[in-house]
């Protein structure tokens, strides 16, 4: 699998200095997805607290359209916390507090008039452990369109599209009415991805989606991610550096800094750059130490 | 000289030169196991004992009274014995239906609030308080029905024309009595649903109510159904409330404003020590009791089938 180069559009916006290199990457399909300008999501001075615990400090990131951004770093560095703050899943944690801003197409998702339910309809999420609902395969997919009130004329087609989109259709087309729990772990995770894309989100957050899967299932999900990025913007948290280097366009490296008085570890962003640069020419010695396996 | 230098297998209890791995006797184990088996079998034995004790007088009863007189809406035969059981079944049925109509929505609703909406702090005091209702003696509920619910609420505030003893008041209080059973057990079932399912639903843009009703409740349905069935069994078997508030006369009218004697109330009101052993009226107590037993058995059997069919495994 090759490292995907960033598309020209996002380069222009996120990395204007790099324009020369990006010129030759454009093709017809690139042009098709260049319509909206600007990053899909941005965080500015994002701080997350759980009660008194300062979980992440001053994170500034921007996520390009139709790119895969990987958040990597050692355990406890706050990468999952950052991910969950991007679709307000942190709201569900008692005592969680967010400072700074997270914008989606320029709109603050923590704004006073924003409904977190609507946010999650635009920004979907796939979890670490496959969590299909105890329903049939069909009903798992149909659940999202049903609860979000999507105008659906042909649910069968929606289900088929979603399952094809998640490369699961051929394996399950003859048993759509059977329980989702009969599927293997890898199939269940692809079902969860299918379920998410059925609601047509703009951004898909993935929280270590392969950590509970075997290498073959992992490879399938990684292939799938590369296909999905033509339609969606993907942000993935992963412990697996090889995975980040294989699938992502950009990588953000986080680490944890212990507080001198309390000993609590606060996560912070060390370096955010094109994946190739992070892995081949890291600017920060901490990044280099991590990717070469000297710590974490 | 050290004892560790000795060559060969270590010395063991038992005969010299005997096998090394012979099982050690543990007589304590056998005693404990025996006691545990005995306690498990005891409840089975008691149940069977009850059935046998019930069946024997019932056989005599149907020797004295024709089956048709028992399964009848009106009392026939001699003046002393009033063998019709269908009015009693109707009374039990009406009280149970009223009780469940009240207790299922309130009990499951309370469980859903406690499990899905209440903060940890609210839940910490509210759940024990709900469970406290289960500790109220049923005779208190019966009194409450007769001296407050019927005269003050039903006749007074609501202006209903109900008798002094009526099935509505009895059913409502039986319902109140089983709310904590249904609420507490349903709450256990709902809370046992993995958090990952709720997160999955919310992450798709579902709201809390959709998540509760479409994901959490179906996932917990077998536990909730078990809670409802247990509540129903208690409603069918409840005696004190219906004996006090439900009337002591057989009634074939479906009017809930009138009193209806239930099977349990019949047994309680008839078994006053004035039925000489072996007489038909004595044996009839056992016949009604056996019927009551069968009704609860059938309810449980049906619920097992329903739960198996609709169960969602996670």
């Amino acid at each position: 699998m090759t490292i995907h180069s960033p598309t020209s559009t996002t380069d222009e916006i996120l990395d204007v200095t790099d324009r020369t290199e990006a010129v030759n990457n454009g093709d017809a399909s690139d042009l098709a997805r260049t319509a909206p300008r600007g990053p899909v999501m941005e965080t500015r001075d994002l701080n997350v607290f759980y009660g008194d615990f300062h979980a992440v400090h001053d994170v500034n990131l921007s996520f390009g359209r139709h790119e895969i951004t990987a958040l990597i770093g050692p355990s406890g560095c706050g990468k999952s916390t950052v991910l969950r703050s991007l679709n307000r899943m942190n709201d569900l944690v008692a005592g969680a507090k967010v400072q700074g801003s997270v914008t989606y197409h320029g709109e603050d998702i923590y704004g006073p008039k924003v409904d977190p339910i609507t946010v999650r309809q635009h920004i979907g999420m796939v979890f670490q452990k496959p969590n299909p609902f105890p329903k049939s395969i069909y009903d798992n997919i149909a659940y999202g369109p049903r609860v979000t009130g999507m105008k659906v004329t042909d649910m069968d087609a929606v289900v088929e599209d979603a399952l094809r989109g998640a490369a699961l259709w051929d394996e399950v087309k003859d048993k759509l009415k059977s329980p989702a729990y009969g599927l293997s772990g890898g199939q269940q995770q692809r079902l969860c991805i299918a379920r998410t894309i059925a609601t047509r989100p703009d951004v898909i957050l993935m929280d270590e989606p392969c950590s509970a899967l075997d290498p073959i299932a992992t490879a399938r999900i990684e292939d799938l991610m590369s296909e999905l990025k033509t339609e969606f913007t993907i942000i993935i948290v992963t412990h697996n550096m090889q995975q980040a280097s294989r699938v992502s366009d950009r990588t953000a490296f986080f680490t944890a800094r212990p507080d001198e008085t309390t000993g609590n570890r606060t996560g912070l962003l060390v370096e955010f750059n094109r994946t190739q640069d992070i892995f081949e020419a890291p600017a920060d010695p901490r990044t280099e130490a991590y990717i070469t396996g000297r710590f974490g | 000289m050290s004892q560790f230098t000795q060559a060969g297998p270590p010395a063991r209890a038992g005969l010299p030169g005997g096998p090394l791995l012979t099982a050690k006797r543990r007589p304590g184990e056998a005693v404990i196991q025996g006691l545990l088996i005995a306690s498990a079998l005891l409840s089975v034995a008691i149940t069977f004992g009850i059935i046998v004790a019930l069946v024997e007088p019932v056989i005599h009863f149907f020797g004295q009274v024709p089956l048709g007189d028992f399964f009848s809406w009106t009392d026939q035969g001699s003046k002393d014995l009033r063998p019709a059981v269908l009015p009693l079944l109707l009374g039990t049925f009406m009280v149970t239906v009223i009780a469940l109509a009240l207790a299922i929505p309130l009990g499951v609703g309370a469980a859903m609030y406690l499990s899905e909406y209440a903060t940890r702090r609210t839940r910490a005091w509210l759940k024990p308080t709900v469970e406290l209702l289960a500790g109220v003696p049923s005779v208190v509920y019966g009194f409450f029905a007769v001296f407050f619910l019927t005269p003050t609420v039903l006749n007074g505030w609501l202006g209903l024309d109900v008798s002094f003893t009526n099935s509505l008041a009895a059913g409502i209080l039986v319902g109140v009595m089983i709310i904590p059973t249904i609420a507490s057990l349903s709450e256990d079932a709902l809370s046992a649903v993995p958090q990952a399912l709720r997160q999955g639903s919310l992450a798709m843009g579902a709201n809390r109510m959709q998540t509760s009703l479409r994901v959490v409740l179906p996932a917990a349905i077998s536990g909730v159904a078990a809670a409802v069935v247990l509540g129903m069994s208690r409603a069918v078997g409840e005696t004190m409330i219906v004996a006090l508030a439900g009337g002591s006369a057989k009634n074939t009218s479906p009017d809930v404003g009138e009193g209806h004697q239930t099977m349990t109330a019949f047994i309680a009101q008839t078994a006053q020590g004035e039925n000489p052993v072996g007489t038909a009226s004595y044996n009839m107590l056992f016949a009604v009791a056996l019927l009551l037993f069968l009704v609860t058995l059938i309810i449980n059997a049906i619920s097992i089938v329903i739960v198996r069919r609709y169960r969602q495994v996670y």
Side-chain angles (χ1 to χ4, degrees), chain A residues 45-88:
Chain A
D45 298 332
L46 175 69
N47 283 269
V48 183
F49 300 84
Y50 295 119
D52 293 333
F53 172 60
H54 193 178
V56 288
H57 173 73
D58 279 355
V59 172
N60 290 287
L61 288 169
S62 77
F63 303 103
R65 170 158 291 266
H66 300 308
E67 282 193 338
I68 299 178
T69 305
L71 312 183
I72 64 167
S75 294
C77 70
K79 53 195 190 299
S80 287
T81 295
V82 170
L83 192 77
R84 281 200 301 270
S85 66
L86 298 179
N87 73 340
R88 298 195 57 168

Side-chain angles (χ1 to χ4, degrees), chain B residues 177-246:
Chain B
M177 186 194 75
I178 62 174
I179 284 174
T181 306
I182 293 181
S184 179
L185 291 175
S186 299
E187 202 270 341
D188 291 343
L190 292 170
S191 300
V193 173
Q195 204 59 30
L197 292 183
R198 291 184 187 86
Q199 290 187 356
S201 171
L202 293 167
M204 310 202 44
N207 62 35
R208 229 162 171 186
M209 183 49 83
Q210 290 165 334
T211 302
S212 304
L213 287 179
R214 298 196 185 194
V215 173
V216 180
L217 185 60
I221 197 68
S222 61
V224 172
V228 169
V229 168
L230 188 64
M232 191 168 172
S233 301
R234 289 195 59 194
V236 169
E238 171 50 32
T239 306
M240 209 59 213
I241 296 174
V242 290
L244 285 174

Side-chain angles (χ1 to χ4, degrees), chain B residues 289-307:
Chain B
L290 185 66
L291 187 63
L292 191 63
F293 186 85
L294 290 176
V295 167
T296 15
L297 205 69
I298 290 166
I299 291 171
N300 280 300
I302 291 172
S303 73
I304 288 170
V305 172
I306 290 174
V307 166

